[in-house]
Amino acid sequence: MSFFPDIPKIAYEGPSSKNPLAFKHYNPEQLVEGKPMRDHLRFGAAYWHVMRNGLSDPFGAPTALMPWDDYSDSVSNAKQRADVFFEFLDKTSIDFYCFHDRDVAPELNDYTKSTEALMEVTSHLLQHQQSSGKKLLWGTACLFGHPRYAHGAGTAPDARVFAYAAAQVKAAMDATQALDGLGYVFWGGREGYGSLLNTNMKREVEHLAMLLHMAVDYKRAIGFTGQFYIEPKPREPSTHQYDSDAAACLNFLREFDLLGDFKLNIETNHATLAGHTMEHELTVAINAGALGSVDANQGDTLLGWDTDQFPTDLYGTSKVMLKVLEMGGFTTGGLNFDAKRRRESHEPLDLFHAHIGGMDAFARGLKIAAAVRADGRIDAFVKNRYSSWDAGIGQHIESAKPTFAELADFVANNPEPALASGRQELMENILNELI
Ligand code: XUL
Ligand code: CO
């Protein structure tokens, strides 16, 4: 039985194709820098957006057509959704997926019943993985949707809510392990505050660190080998989220001795909300040896919220792929489309257009990034810009850590340094030439 009877398996037809249901650039086996595109890009689909997002907004009802869904909280409905999802993965050639516990299985307002439902759906997902070869990029627990988490989960003022969150993470980790998940994400949607007038920030942050330490202990206890990630985001739904950006996350992980067990999952729209470029966030993570995975989407600069749009901006995808190539590629991570269609794009067909577009935009980004690297002019310029550190006084400063007095002596006995151009416009022109 097919849930998308009118949609064929999407094939690569090349840049001249006008077929909306074909890839123009994503050619999974095509080698870039000696590695197949599919292994560079490691695309993932987000279960919550593909299967569960009704596309409502703060002003209006859901619009998404989901003819396969009876909207009940039954396990049979949940299993049928999984059937639809795996057909979608097959037809789009997306190799990985990601989910929250409550996306794949119902919240039944009873911990034991919800956990049993999760485990039953997990077995069903496992069968699909085994017959399709698709893999779980990461799992996570939804610790922000249910009203019990209105004040936070790991940072809740009520210790019983903290305990519930811990119990829910335990079950979600069990499910992720059963599915051989390559990773597990912590996104602290409500781990923050609305106002400091009613908040004990120190206590909340310490509790969050405790929750993560317990997760690390549990991971060791069950022998789960996936990678843990923290996903920075500055706000929405909270006014201030403690994991506000990559630098804040790294500081938190260092302060609480968690850096050895966590990497970052960086999302483009979250970078925008934090007032950073995506390449800034990626660079901060890479410099700390902590870039794990990417939630691939884009925001809208005219709207101040997390619009989770599909990535279509070629500058954006090129800059992301430059960073990924510079890092040497993903290991456990990938490019998860944490993206939803616009409310007005409510047909199942739009799901295909959206993902095809995102995959092609990243395939082009990959080809452009490889071209920038092969061209070498930008790299050579940057290397040369710092060349005064490779010899003479620069080398001496880097290797011997001289005193201020020595440097004052050097300055007094040498001519004024000549001002060099940063050539920003030239760099931008070279990137444009290669796009
Ligand atoms: C929310 C967001 C989440 C995480 C997983 O903005 O990005 O969907 O990716 O909880
Ligand atoms: Co995300």
Side-chain angles (χ1 to χ4, degrees), residues 48 138 185 187 231 265 267 270 295 297 306 308 336 338:
W48 56 100
W138 48 262
V185 161
W187 169 62
E231 183 177 325
N265 180 38
E267 176 166 326
H270 297 179
D295 270 11
N297 62 14
D306 194 13
D308 278 348
N336 166 48
D338 192 350

Side-chain angles (χ1 to χ4, degrees), residues 104-396:
V104 291
E107 158 74 59
L108 298 169
N109 292 307
D110 175 297
Y111 176 72
T112 306
K113 284 189 188 143
S114 300
T115 305
E116 278 165 11
L118 176 61
M119 289 311 158
E120 208 181 322
V121 178
T122 296
S123 319
H124 191 67
L125 291 167
L126 185 60
Q127 285 170 22
H128 273 298
Q129 285 185 203
Q130 284 165 347
S131 57
S132 64
K134 306 292 179 190
K135 294 195 174 101
L136 179 62
L137 191 66
W138 48 262
T140 186
C142 178
L143 301 179
F144 47 88
H146 194 280
R148 84 172 67 86
Y149 297 122
H151 301 277
T155 62
D158 184 336
R160 291 164 300 182
V161 175
F162 178 100
Y164 210 114
Q168 205 181 312
V169 170
K170 174 186 178 296
M173 281 177 63
D174 289 341
T176 303
Q177 185 187 35
L179 294 168
D180 259 330
L182 280 80
Y184 185 93
V185 161
F186 292 84
W187 169 62
R190 298 196 191 269
E191 314 294 23
Y193 58 82
S195 166
L196 280 177
L197 286 173
N198 64 2
T199 302
N200 184 335
M201 188 199 283
K202 188 167 193 299
R203 228 167 162 182
E204 291 202 355
V205 172
E206 285 169 2
H207 293 166
L208 182 57
M210 276 172 50
L211 182 77
L212 299 185
H213 271 291
M214 289 175 191
V216 170
D217 290 346
Y218 188 63
K219 174 181 168 167
R220 304 237 158 89
I222 62 175
F224 174 57
T225 53
Q227 173 67 48
F228 275 174
Y229 308 107
I230 287 205
E231 183 177 325
K233 182 176 178 180
R235 61 181 155 275
E236 198 202 324
S238 67
T239 306
H240 175 85
Q241 188 176 312
Y242 298 129
D243 300 331
S244 54
D245 65 2
C249 282
L250 290 170
N251 181 60
F252 167 82
L253 293 171
R254 271 198 199 97
E255 181 178 355
F256 293 100
D257 196 24
L258 287 158
L259 200 49
D261 286 289
F262 284 81
K263 287 188 172 177
L264 302 185
N265 180 38
I266 304 285
E267 176 166 326
T268 317
N269 206 158
H270 297 179
T272 314
L273 290 177
H276 301 307
T277 60
M278 178 61 167
E279 57 272 25
H280 168 89
E281 288 294 82
L282 295 175
T283 305
V284 169
I286 290 171
N287 290 350
L291 176 61
S293 200
V294 167
D295 270 11
N297 62 14
Q298 69 184 40
D300 187 320
T301 47
L302 300 181
L303 290 167
W305 11 302
D306 194 13
T307 54
D308 278 348
Q309 285 165 240
F310 275 85
T312 54
D313 177 63
L314 298 182
Y315 285 102
T317 60
S318 304
K319 287 173 176 175
V320 169
M321 290 318 296
L322 264 172
K323 288 292 159 191
V324 172
L325 291 180
E326 177 188 311
M327 171 173 83
F330 291 117
T331 46
T332 53
L335 296 170
N336 166 48
F337 289 116
D338 192 350
K340 64 186 181 203
R341 299 160 285 161
R342 298 306 84 200
R343 184 167 182 264
E344 308 88 326
S345 310
H346 65 299
E347 296 177 359
L349 177 63
D350 295 300
L351 279 173
F352 287 85
H353 292 160
H355 286 82
I356 291 168
M359 293 165 81
D360 266 346
F362 263 99
R364 285 183 82 175
L366 171 62
K367 290 191 273 187
I368 292 161
V372 169
R373 284 155 61 86
D375 174 86
R377 278 174 291 169
I378 291 180
D379 267 355
F381 176 80
V382 174
K383 191 163 189 299
N384 187 52
R385 193 171 181 219
Y386 294 87
S387 59
S388 69
W389 292 93
D390 298 332
I393 187 67
Q395 193 180 43
H396 181 62

